[in-house]
């Protein structure tokens, strides 16, 4: 797919610029990474999607609103800036009582209780390193990173649960996705 984009002469991509981008073909999405606009292919494995659905369902059963493939925004798009650290999270769990508007795709970190990322070899650095520091700096209280075997007969994965303490994430525990309902 070839796309021609007229960007502002100052190179700053604002929310208005972003919203006026041409709609990519199915399976492709615009993303901002370190201030660079990229058109990325967004296929996910069945394992990846099922793991995210299982975790989001766990939180939904506990009364939280949830969503998949959402932007976690820094002071960028939410406040009209460049969106330098906007990241697409595999899953978000909203703070208790928050009801996102149905058409929203970008959320201020203040309304997010948990960010969930299902990590693959391809996404390890972005999910477990780049996003890790940004989400902590934004004050997202919980960050769950899930790793698993996409080739296994059964869909499951090990969650490393991080909690924000004094501005940094600490490991709060580990649990298999299939065992989320136990003891909680």
């Amino acid at each position: 797919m070839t796309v021609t984009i007229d960007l502002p002469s100052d190179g700053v991509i604002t929310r208005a610029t972003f919203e006026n981008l041409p709609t990519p073909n199915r399976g492709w999405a615009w993303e901002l990474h370190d201030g660079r606009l990229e058109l990325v292919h967004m296929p996910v494995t069945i394992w990846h999607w099922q793991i995210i659905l299982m975790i989001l369902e766990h939180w939904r059963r506990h009364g939280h609103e949830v969503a998949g493939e959402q932007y976690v925004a820094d002071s960028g798009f939410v406040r009209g800036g460049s969106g330098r650290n906007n990241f697409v999270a595999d899953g978000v769990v909203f703070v208790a009582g928050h009801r996102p508007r149905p058409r929203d795709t970008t959320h201020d970190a203040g309304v997010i209780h948990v960010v969930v990322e299902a990590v693959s070899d391809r996404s390890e650095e972005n999910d477990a390193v780049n996003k890790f520091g940004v989400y902590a700096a934004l004050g997202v209280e919980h960050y769950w990173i899930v790793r698993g075997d996409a080739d296994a007969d059964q869909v499951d994965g090990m969650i490393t649960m991080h909690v924000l303490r004094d501005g940094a994430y600490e490991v709060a525990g580990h649990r298999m996705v299939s065992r989320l309902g136990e003891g909680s």
Side-chain angles (χ1 to χ4, degrees), residues 116-150:
V116 181
E117 296 288 355
V119 176
S120 66
D121 292 341
R122 187 174 69 117
S123 69
E124 179 79 29
E125 182 175 346
N126 196 41
D127 291 342
V129 178
N130 300 339
K131 291 180 180 183
F132 194 82
V134 170
Y135 292 156
L138 293 173
V140 174
E141 188 177 353
H142 300 275
Y143 188 36
W144 287 12
I145 299 174
V146 187
R147 291 177 178 86
D149 182 0

Side-chain angles (χ1 to χ4, degrees), residues 76-95:
F77 284 159
V78 170
R79 296 179 181 86
S82 67
R84 175 178 164 78
N85 290 319
N86 285 353
F87 287 114
V88 174
D90 292 337
V92 295
V93 178
F94 296 99
V95 295

Side-chain angles (χ1 to χ4, degrees), residues 26-81:
R26 183 181 171 99
W28 291 84
W30 294 109
E31 285 192 11
L32 283 174
H33 292 282
D34 291 326
R36 292 186 326 265
L37 179 67
E38 298 176 0
L39 184 61
V40 296
H41 191 239
M42 299 297 290
V44 294
T45 65
I46 298 298
W47 173 86
H48 180 277
W49 188 236
Q50 288 179 343
I51 284 292
I52 294 300
L53 289 176
M54 290 166 67
I55 294 170
L56 293 179
E57 178 60 19
H58 164 79
W59 283 100
R60 194 188 64 69
R61 283 192 314 267
H62 284 85
H64 290 263
E65 292 287 328
V66 299
E69 298 295 317
Q70 298 289 295
Y71 279 102
V72 177
D74 63 2
S75 59
F77 284 159
V78 170
R79 296 179 181 86

Side-chain angles (χ1 to χ4, degrees), residues 92-111:
V92 295
V93 178
F94 296 99
V95 295
H98 178 75
R99 301 290 178 246
R101 294 182 309 235
R103 293 191 176 273
D104 284 352
T105 59
T106 302
H107 308 279
D108 190 277
V111 301

